[in-house]
């Protein structure tokens, strides 16, 4: 029996375990919280990601290790890698933990990015705001996710407030100032690279965020062949440079024909959840195949899918399941404001049927405002043929 170790026991580890059981895999999940939701689907090892004893214990009991969380300390991952194969490699993990290093690499690879500046002092911030212009966004270089650790600067008066909010972290984690991109939409490429270098990507996904947190993902995104080609080539170039093994997501801002790279998520990604029912092989299964050196599965879509995130508390499953094409994922978490507690994927064979199903689901759950932008988008793409 092969055992996969996972650092981090959230919903991503949980869905990895659920995808791995049919492959005959066992799991061992390392997390500091006894109620980590992956623990309902796989054995849980209680411990910190940088605790040498916990890492040694994990290494002794697994054949290969991976992550469900990109903020696992890279040094902990390196320590683990001395004892057991770790994919993606800890250097790729370390790079994606630093927004400055990440954007610098993108630029080096010829991938367009929003303007950015390294900020260490208040004087750096003033100079960078003058150079980049407003609006702009001050972000922590490290440990930010879902819009956390970010401050938007709209006018001069906001500079003080931004520094008050994040300046203390300039020394600890570093800061980056980014030009604000007036994007038309956000896309992500979810892709996988195998141990032998085989690369595959799922169709582009169009994502909508509310307050910095993903709300909906629609796939395949309507995109012309050039856009698909460019986005996929960017993802491939990054994966090859990092000798990446496993699934990752590249988040892109799309404005007209221009694609600007925002960030790399070195793990299975929320914008790829639709692949569980909406693709021949899910991101979770292909991640496991990749880290185990197994042949990768087909990433072709099965019709059209929309994933809706549930934050705070789960909606009424009974009402939702009455709608055709709805697939329900309850992560088994305690409700808490803003917490990702589950998602639904609605699948259909064509855009029009998907729009009808989403409308029905929105009404059944009182979530009309969440589905409305996707329904409008589907209407536009259907009209455009
Ligand atoms: P991030 O944590 O960098 O993925 O940011 C979370 C969300 O904030 C993104 O998905 C965007 O919706 C928004 N955002 C981040 N950076 C920028 C930017 N430079 N310009 C415009 N919007 C941004």
């Amino acid at each position: 029996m092969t055992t996969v170790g996972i650092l981090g026991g959230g919903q991503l580890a949980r869905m990895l375990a659920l995808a791995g059981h049919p492959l005959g895999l066992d799991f061992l999940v390392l997390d500091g919280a006894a109620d980590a939701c992956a623990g309902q689907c796989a054995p849980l090892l209680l411990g910190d990601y940088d605790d040498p004893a916990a890492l040694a214990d994990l290494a002794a009991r697994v054949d290969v290790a991976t992550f469900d969380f990109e903020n696992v300390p890279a040094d902990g991952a390196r320590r683990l890698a001395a004892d057991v194969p770790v994919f993606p490699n800890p250097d790729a993990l370390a790079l994606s933990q630093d927004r400055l290093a990440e954007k610098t690499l993108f630029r080096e690879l010829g991938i367009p990015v929003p303007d950015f500046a390294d900020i260490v002092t208040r004087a750096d911030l003033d100079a960078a705001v003058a150079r980049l212009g407003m609006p702009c966004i001050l972000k922590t270089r490290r440990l930010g996710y879902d819009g956390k650790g970010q401050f938007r600067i709209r006018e001069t008066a906001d500079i003080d407030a931004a520094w008050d909010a994040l300046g203390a972290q300039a020394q600890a984690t570093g800061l980056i100032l980014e030009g604000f991109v007036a994007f038309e939409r956000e896309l992500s490429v979810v892709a996988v690279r195998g141990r032998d270098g085989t690369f595959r990507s799922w169709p582009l996904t169009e994502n909508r965020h509310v307050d910095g947190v993903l709300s909906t993902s629609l796939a395949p995104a309507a995109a012309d062949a050039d856009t698909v080609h460019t986005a996929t080539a960017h993802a491939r170039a990054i994966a090859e440079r990092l000798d990446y093994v496993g699934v990752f997501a590249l988040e892109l801002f799309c404005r007209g024909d221009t694609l600007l790279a925002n960030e790399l998520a070195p793990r299975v990604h929320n914008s790829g959840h639709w692949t569980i029912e909406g693709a021949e092989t899910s991101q979770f299964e292909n991640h496991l195949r990749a880290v185990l050196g197994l042949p990768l599965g087909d990433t072709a879509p099965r019709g059209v899918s929309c994933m809706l995130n549930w934050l705070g508390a789960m909606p009424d499953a009974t009402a939702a399941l009455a709608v055709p094409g709805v697939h329900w994922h309850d992560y088994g978490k305690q409700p808490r404001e803003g917490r990702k507690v589950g998602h639904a994927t609605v699948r259909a064979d064509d855009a029009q049927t998907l729009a009808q199903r989403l409308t029905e689901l929105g009404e059944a759950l009182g979530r009309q405002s969440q589905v409305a932008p996707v329904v409008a988008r589907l209407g536009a793409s259907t009209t455009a043929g």
Side-chain angles (χ1 to χ4, degrees):
M1 195 71 142
T2 302
T3 304
V4 178
I6 308 178
L7 276 72
Q11 66 269 19
L12 302 179
R14 179 186 172 102
M15 288 185 271
L16 282 168
L18 291 171
H21 290 154
L23 297 175
L25 302 174
D26 270 350
F27 292 86
L28 183 61
V29 173
L30 177 67
D31 199 290
D35 65 348
C37 74
Q40 297 162 13
C41 303
L44 190 67
L45 182 63
L46 258 186
D48 288 334
Y49 307 128
D50 52 0
D51 172 1
L55 292 171
D57 193 8
L58 183 83
R61 294 164 62 185
V62 304
D63 299 289
V64 63
T66 188
F67 321 95
D68 103 320
F69 181 55
E70 71 260 43
N71 290 325
V72 164
D75 283 345
R78 288 193 180 101
R79 189 169 303 132
L80 190 64
D83 297 330
V84 73
V86 174
F87 297 112
N89 68 71
D91 290 343
L93 181 74
L95 180 111
S96 63
Q97 288 174 345
D98 182 349
R99 292 183 190 276
L100 186 70
E102 185 176 80
K103 289 211 161 59
T104 305
L105 173 81
F106 294 166
R107 227 177 221 173
E108 227 178 277
L109 292 170
I111 300 171
V113 289
D115 272 343
F116 64 90
D118 181 15
I119 307 294
V120 179
T121 64
R122 172 61 205 259
D124 292 340
L125 180 60
D126 289 329
V129 172
R131 182 167 73 79
L132 267 53
M134 289 177 283
C136 51
I137 305 186
L138 185 64
K139 299 181 179 180
T140 56
R141 271 172 65 177
R142 297 170 191 281
L143 301 176
Y145 66 99
D146 284 350
K148 294 183 176 63
Q150 303 193 5
F151 201 102
R152 209 170 275 197
I153 299 173
R154 293 184 173 84
E155 52 188 29
T156 311
D158 295 336
I159 303 177
D160 279 337
W163 190 254
D164 285 347
L166 299 178
Q169 292 182 58
Q171 293 301 327
T173 70
L175 298 173
I176 181 173
L177 187 74
E178 292 180 14
F180 183 82
V181 181
F183 55 79
E184 285 147 11
R185 54 188 184 139
E186 290 187 75
L187 298 175
S188 58
V189 192
V190 181
V192 59
R193 186 167 176 271
R195 281 207 205 180
D196 63 356
T198 311
F199 175 89
R200 290 201 177 158
S201 59
W202 284 267
L204 293 187
T205 302
E206 183 170 324
N207 304 311
R208 265 185 191 75
H209 291 78
V210 174
D211 299 330
V213 182
L214 187 65
S215 174
T216 62
S217 290
L218 174 64
D224 58 38
D226 276 355
T227 303
V228 174
H229 176 80
T230 305
T232 312
H234 290 343
R236 186 173 195 143
I238 294 165
E240 287 177 356
R241 168 64 74 92
L242 297 175
D243 193 18
Y244 194 95
V245 172
V247 166
F248 65 98
L250 176 64
E251 297 179 12
L252 301 158
F253 298 138
C254 185
R255 195 180 47 196
D257 297 340
T258 314
L259 289 176
L260 299 171
N262 175 35
E263 69 173 347
L264 173 74
R267 51 171 171 76
V268 285
H269 192 248
N270 200 166
S271 73
H273 289 1
W274 65 269
T275 61
I276 298 175
E277 294 88 9
E280 283 296 332
T281 313
S282 79
Q283 62 166 350
F284 299 100
E285 179 174 339
N286 257 348
H287 183 71
L288 295 168
R289 291 189 188 209
V291 304
L292 291 165
L294 297 169
L296 301 181
D298 188 357
T299 50
R302 298 170 61 239
V304 199
S305 299
C306 176
M307 191 269 338
L308 303 148
N309 259 348
W310 306 136
L311 303 182
M314 288 300 291
D316 179 1
T318 309
L321 293 173
V323 179
V326 168
H327 302 273
W328 201 247
H329 297 264
D330 182 332
Y331 304 152
K333 290 180 173 179
Q334 288 304 313
R336 192 172 70 210
E337 204 190 325
R339 188 178 207 195
K340 288 180 182 171
V341 290
H343 76 266
T345 294
V346 190
R347 206 202 65 78
D349 289 337
D350 58 79
Q352 209 181 350
T353 311
L354 181 61
Q356 279 163 7
R357 292 176 173 182
L358 284 169
T359 304
E360 221 180 297
L361 181 66
E363 280 164 8
L365 301 181
R367 305 262 173 160
Q368 290 91 339
S369 60
Q370 188 173 5
V371 302
V374 188
V375 171
R377 184 87 190 118
L378 286 164
S381 61
T382 314
T383 318

